[in-house]
Amino acid sequence: MSVIGGRTVPEGKLQGALFDVDGTLVDTMTRWIPSWNDAGKQFGLTMSEDDFWAMAGWPVPEMVKQLVRNQKGEEATDEFVEEFLKAKMLAHRAREAQDGTPPPIAPVVELARAHVKAGVPIAAATSGLRDAVEHHLGANGLLELFPPERIVCAADLPPGRGKPKPDIFLRAAELLGAAPELCVVYEDAESGLQAGWEAGCQVVDVRDLPGYPLSRGLAAAMGKQRAERAWLQQPTGSAAGPAAPAEQPLADAARAGPA
C-alpha cells in the first residue's frame, strides 16, 4: 500500500484510524454498477464503468445529480433523486439475493483488527447509504469493529459537504476525540483520498495492498487519476509535516498500522 504524499503520523502518536467502507472494508464497488443501470432503465440514465470510477467515493445522491447533468443537461430535483435511489436499492437487493453479500476485503480488515488490538480507536467514514453500509458490515461480522455509533455517513453532514471535501474525516476524528493530523485514513477512491488529505490526515491507498481485489476497470481508472492528481498539496493551517511531491511506498507497517 502507499502513503499519499509521504505524510505520516509520528510513530507512537497515532490517535485514530478512519476507514472508508465500500471498496475499502467490503468488496462492493463492482457490485454497484449493475444496479445503477437496472434502475437507470426506468429513468433514461446509464452508468458506464468509466463514469462510475470517475465518481467513486462521492455521496450517492451527488452521483445521481451528476448523471442527470451529463446525460439530460438539467438539474435533478430532490424528489427525482429519492425515487431513483429507491429503484436502485431495490435492484441492488434483488441482485444481492441472487449473488450473495459482497465479501470483506481481508487485508484491510486485518489492519482494522490490528489497530483495535493495539488500542487505537477506529471509525468508519463513508459516502454510502447507512442502511446498505450497516447491512454489509453486519453480514461480514464487522459491526463489532464498527458499531453504528462509530460510522459517519455522508448523509450525516450538511448538503454538499461529502467527499472530496474533508468534513467526513474531520467528523470521524472528532467522534474518536482524536486530532485529524494524528489519524490515518484508509481509502480506495480518489475523492476519499483527497478528503483525507485535505483533512490533514495520513492517507493510505489500500488498492496497493497485496491481495486487494483490483478490477481491470479500476486499475485503468487509477492510472489516469494518479497522473492527473492536482489536489496533492499541504492544507493551509495543517499541523502535519511537509508533504513529499508524490506517493511513496509504505516501508514500515507501523507508520500506517497501529502505533
Side-chain angles (χ1 to χ4, degrees):
M1 59 185 160
S2 297
V3 175
I4 302 298
R7 179 194 290 157
T8 58
V9 176
E11 190 169 351
K13 300 295 185 181
L14 192 63
Q15 293 184 354
L18 314 178
F19 291 80
D20 175 52
V21 177
D22 291 307
T24 297
L25 288 165
V26 184
D27 188 14
T28 54
M29 295 301 276
T30 55
R31 300 279 195 100
W32 289 121
I33 298 174
S35 63
W36 278 98
N37 287 307
D38 291 344
K41 292 174 184 176
Q42 304 174 41
F43 298 90
L45 297 171
T46 60
M47 175 70 85
S48 71
E49 193 168 354
D50 287 346
D51 286 340
F52 178 79
W53 292 120
M55 294 187 282
W58 290 19
V60 182
E62 294 303 318
M63 295 175 72
V64 178
K65 292 176 182 179
Q66 191 63 43
L67 275 186
V68 172
R69 290 187 195 105
N70 291 347
Q71 297 177 21
K72 293 180 176 291
E74 60 190 36
E75 290 297 318
T77 64
D78 291 342
E79 292 76 17
F80 179 93
V81 172
E82 183 178 355
E83 288 302 312
F84 184 95
L85 291 179
K86 285 180 181 178
K88 180 183 177 302
M89 186 55 68
L90 287 174
H92 179 76
R93 287 173 179 165
R95 285 183 174 271
E96 196 167 287
Q98 177 180 332
D99 300 334
T101 304
I105 298 177
V108 184
V109 173
E110 289 173 11
L111 284 170
R113 294 193 186 281
H115 280 302
V116 171
K117 185 176 180 180
V120 177
I122 65 175
T126 172
S127 294
L129 302 176
R130 183 171 288 275
D131 286 351
V133 168
E134 292 185 9
H135 169 68
H136 289 146
L137 289 175
N140 286 292
L142 299 179
L143 282 178
E144 64 180 45
L145 292 173
F146 300 95
E149 64 271 18
R150 288 287 185 94
I151 300 171
V152 181
C153 295
D156 300 327
L157 304 172
R161 298 305 304 178
K163 301 173 186 178
K165 294 183 172 61
D167 302 44
I168 197 163
F169 290 117
L170 296 174
R171 177 77 65 88
E174 181 182 22
L175 185 68
L176 299 180
E181 65 270 17
L182 298 179
C183 289
V184 58
V185 163
Y186 294 100
E187 261 285 359
D188 72 294
E190 192 73 5
S191 63
L193 296 169
Q194 180 179 351
W197 178 260
E198 292 187 358
C201 304
Q202 175 180 333
V203 183
V204 173
D205 189 339
V206 301
R207 299 171 298 185
D208 293 322
L209 277 168
Y212 183 86
L214 190 65
S215 71
R216 188 176 303 173
L218 175 54
M222 281 172 57
K224 180 179 180 181
Q225 289 168 347
R226 287 176 172 178
E228 297 174 350
R229 190 172 282 165
W231 50 261
L232 191 57
Q233 55 186 331
Q234 182 73 12
T236 303
S238 170
E247 296 181 9
Q248 69 178 40
L250 186 62
D252 181 357
R255 291 292 190 183

